[in-house]
Amino acid sequence: MDLPVVNDVISVYDTSQVPTLDEDVRHHLIQFGEPEVVAGETIGDRRDRLIAKAQELDYHFVDGDVVMADEEEDAEEEDYYTPGNKSLVDVRNRILQSSLPQAKVRVEREYAHYQQETTHPVQLLKFRRSLTSHLKSLAIAGTASITGNTRAISVTRYSPSNELIACGSWNGCVYIMDPQNLQVKHQSVPGHHSEKVSGLSWLDSQRLITGGGEGKLNLWKVGEEYLHPSTTIEAHENRITKVVVHPHIKEYVMSASSDHTWKLFDITKQEELCAFEGHSREVYGLGCHPDGSVVASGGLDGITRWWDLRSGRNIITVHGHASGVYSLDFSPFNSLVATASGDGTVKIWDMRRLDAKNQELATIPAHTKLVSDVKWYYGKLPKPQTFTDENDENPTTFSAEGKFLVSGSYDWTVGVHNADSWIKVASLEGHTDKVMSVDIATDGGKLISAGWDRTIKMWQVD
């Protein structure tokens, strides 16, 4: 005996699309040549009369409009997307080919770390205690103001080699500093950004890209004392809030904007490859997975979205914060994402464990006010230690990469958080106004922060 096919049982008229406002119901009755009102009928009776007449005439309602049945079928078959051109297809294939070997290497490293930590529990405990002590000893090591700058320092980042520090100011200028003495070595010629350099990211140790309040992306090469951009792209109609460089294909640059979108560009070809829509308010948070295949975006709508660069699709959406998402960052391991919010918390999300409930892995009560920036630690400690077991045998060295993260806040502090216990282990005080940006040197020995007090501060182990 054949099992019945559900869709073949009966054709049920969909009344969910029929208007409920009496004014609209009357309008459609007149369209069908029916009397607008019948004596003694209620509003519900009038809607039922509209439904009966629509069924009789084989009409349906789609988004409040009347269509014939065959027109409805055509509408359902319509493709509600814009097909990508060959250039975009080539880009997605390139990202796919690049990300697969990176994912293989990452998974192997994660497994090696897991094996090391599970087989050496005593050494691991000693390492965690040592790392916590290391982080608690962070203290201010230097502070500097930039001559001539009268606006907030909105973003600051170490170069990949830690040999330079780049800063963006709300006055529209970019400054390159020597981390040894926090003196300015290079600065941009005024006028290339009208104001508010909020997006900044290094391509390599000599090139960086910035985004400004006027919506432009500027590519700079460190050289002369006064810098001019080598490339300028009209990227957005509104302010650029964040700039991220693809971790492995350096000519691919992503920018988030207050126009509610984020975009992917080929900086070499000066070409916009794709625009991503989905947020209902300004997009402030943007980050790329270490494999280079997935991007996360966070908006002032309080929503975080994950996007697959290989298909262009929004693959995960979470609504976890009570306020806007101002920053986010991927961990070097385990597909974790940290999101910083106006609600004062940093939430940790595990892409592999998100289900229909979209529950976060952890919530860190990081600050008493808006959290403006968050960064995971990528790198190695300057003086890695070896730890032994309870018998003073089996010496083992652990990696600190991904083991802590830092945050900056409008409560004027920099927070340092343990990524094993999700506990704040240090609160660094020294700024006299809102902290807008933080970063960690890859040697793990120094942090930098900047903000509304127009200073750049360096923190290191005392």
Side-chain angles (χ1 to χ4, degrees):
M1 179 179 179
D2 293 335
L3 291 175
V5 179
V6 174
N7 290 339
D8 289 345
V9 173
I10 188 171
S11 176
V12 180
Y13 189 86
D14 181 12
T15 62
S16 65
Q17 297 289 319
V18 179
T20 55
L21 290 177
D22 190 49
E23 180 182 353
D24 295 335
V25 171
R26 295 185 185 198
H27 169 74
H28 288 302
L29 284 169
I30 294 173
Q31 276 188 315
F32 291 156
E34 290 290 299
E36 182 180 355
V37 177
V38 174
E41 71 177 355
T42 65
I43 292 176
D45 294 337
R46 196 154 37 247
R47 185 171 183 269
D48 290 340
R49 185 159 59 89
L50 174 63
I51 292 171
K53 191 64 179 179
Q55 287 181 286
E56 177 188 336
L57 298 175
D58 202 18
Y59 279 101
H60 292 258
F61 291 87
V62 177
D63 295 330
D65 294 326
V66 179
V67 297
M68 294 190 69
D70 56 348
E71 292 177 352
E72 182 184 26
E73 292 175 2
D74 292 341
E76 290 176 353
E77 294 174 0
E78 183 178 346
D79 291 332
Y80 289 96
Y81 66 92
T82 303
N85 55 32
K86 184 179 184 304
S87 176
L88 181 57
V89 172
D90 291 343
V91 167
R92 287 177 175 166
N93 282 331
R94 187 179 178 190
I95 291 173
L96 172 64
Q97 296 303 319
S98 169
S99 63
L100 286 176
Q102 296 294 335
K104 182 176 183 294
V105 171
R106 174 181 55 81
V107 171
E108 290 174 350
R109 290 176 64 200
E110 288 179 1
Y111 182 72
H113 284 203
Y114 171 78
Q115 288 288 94
Q116 183 189 45
E117 292 184 356
T118 54
T119 55
H120 300 89
V122 175
Q123 295 93 318
L124 177 62
L125 180 60
K126 291 180 178 180
F127 162 71
R128 288 178 174 174
R129 288 173 175 170
S130 174
L131 178 61
T132 298
S133 176
H134 171 91
L135 298 175
K136 285 183 175 180
S137 67
L138 285 165
I140 195 162
T143 185
S145 298
I146 298 173
T147 302
N149 176 59
T150 59
R151 302 290 303 276
I153 303 296
S154 51
V155 59
T156 183
R157 295 288 182 259
Y158 275 103
S159 67
S161 63
N162 301 321
E163 295 176 352
L164 296 170
I165 297 171
C167 302
S169 170
W170 274 11
N171 70 3
C173 288
V174 179
Y175 302 93
I176 312 296
M177 307 178 74
D178 184 340
Q180 301 301 319
N181 53 25
L182 296 181
Q183 295 298 304
V184 175
K185 299 179 65 176
H186 315 274
Q187 67 182 73
S188 64
V189 174
H192 292 292
H193 285 302
S194 62
E195 64 168 357
K196 291 187 178 179
V197 178
S198 298
L200 187 155
S201 188
W202 290 88
L203 282 77
D204 51 47
S205 294
Q206 293 297 311
R207 296 181 301 157
L208 66 153
I209 189 160
T210 58
E214 73 295 318
K216 292 180 183 177
L217 288 172
N218 283 329
L219 177 65
W220 313 84
K221 184 173 182 180
V222 177
E224 301 296 327
E225 180 180 358
Y226 292 97
L227 306 176
H228 294 268
S230 59
T231 300
T232 297
I233 296 177
E234 301 283 348
H236 294 269
E237 294 183 0
N238 295 332
R239 174 188 172 192
I240 293 175
T241 57
K242 202 79 67 181
V243 176
V244 175
V245 176
H246 190 277
H248 308 295
I249 310 175
K250 297 301 182 179
E251 61 264 39
Y252 293 168
V253 173
M254 293 151 272
S255 59
S257 172
S258 58
D259 64 9
H260 305 185
T261 72
W262 71 271
K263 295 181 179 182
L264 175 65
F265 293 90
D266 186 320
I267 193 71
T268 303
K269 297 180 179 178
Q270 302 183 40
E271 177 184 6
E272 179 185 315
L273 300 173
C274 194
F276 296 81
E277 300 177 338
H279 289 280
S280 61
R281 293 192 61 191
E282 298 92 327
V283 182
Y284 270 73
L286 195 67
C288 190
H289 189 281
D291 297 349
S293 58
V294 174
V295 169
S297 62
L300 297 194
D301 52 11
I303 296 173
T304 304
R305 297 179 181 272
W306 280 257
W307 310 80
D308 190 336
L309 286 178
R310 298 160 295 187
S311 66
R313 293 181 178 179
N314 179 191
I315 54 175
I316 303 172
T317 301
V318 295
H319 310 247
H321 285 287
S323 187
V325 176
Y326 285 85
S327 179
L328 60 84
D329 197 27
F330 277 89
S331 165
F333 297 121
N334 302 325
S335 298
L336 302 182
V337 173
T339 55
S341 171
D343 61 16
T345 69
V346 171
K347 289 184 180 289
I348 310 299
W349 310 87
D350 189 338
M351 286 175 56
R352 305 162 302 177
R353 299 181 181 179
L354 289 174
D355 54 19
K357 295 181 179 180
N358 288 335
Q359 292 294 313
E360 65 269 23
L361 179 66
T363 297
I364 304 173
H367 296 276
T368 58
K369 293 185 179 180
L370 181 152
V371 187
S372 55
D373 202 8
V374 64
K375 295 291 290 184
W376 287 91
Y377 173 55
Y378 282 68
K380 298 179 180 179
L381 294 179
K383 297 179 181 179
Q385 293 178 276
T386 298
F387 301 91
T388 58
D389 61 18
E390 63 271 26
N391 299 318
D392 202 24
E393 298 175 348
N394 299 314
T396 307
T397 301
F398 296 90
S399 170
E401 191 168 22
K403 293 297 185 181
F404 69 95
L405 58 160
V406 299
S407 59
S409 172
Y410 279 19
D411 65 7
W412 302 8
T413 69
V414 175
V416 184
H417 315 278
N418 187 301
D420 287 314
S421 61
W422 310 117
I423 293 174
K424 179 190 275 191
V425 297
S427 183
L428 309 180
E429 300 180 359
H431 283 280
T432 58
D433 212 325
K434 304 169 185 174
V435 178
M436 300 184 71
S437 183
V438 294
D439 199 18
I440 316 171
T442 53
D443 65 9
K446 295 179 181 178
L447 315 179
I448 50 172
S449 58
W452 278 54
D453 60 6
R454 304 186 299 279
T455 68
I456 298 92
K457 297 189 184 298
M458 180 177 292
W459 315 81
Q460 67 181 29
V461 176
D462 189 2

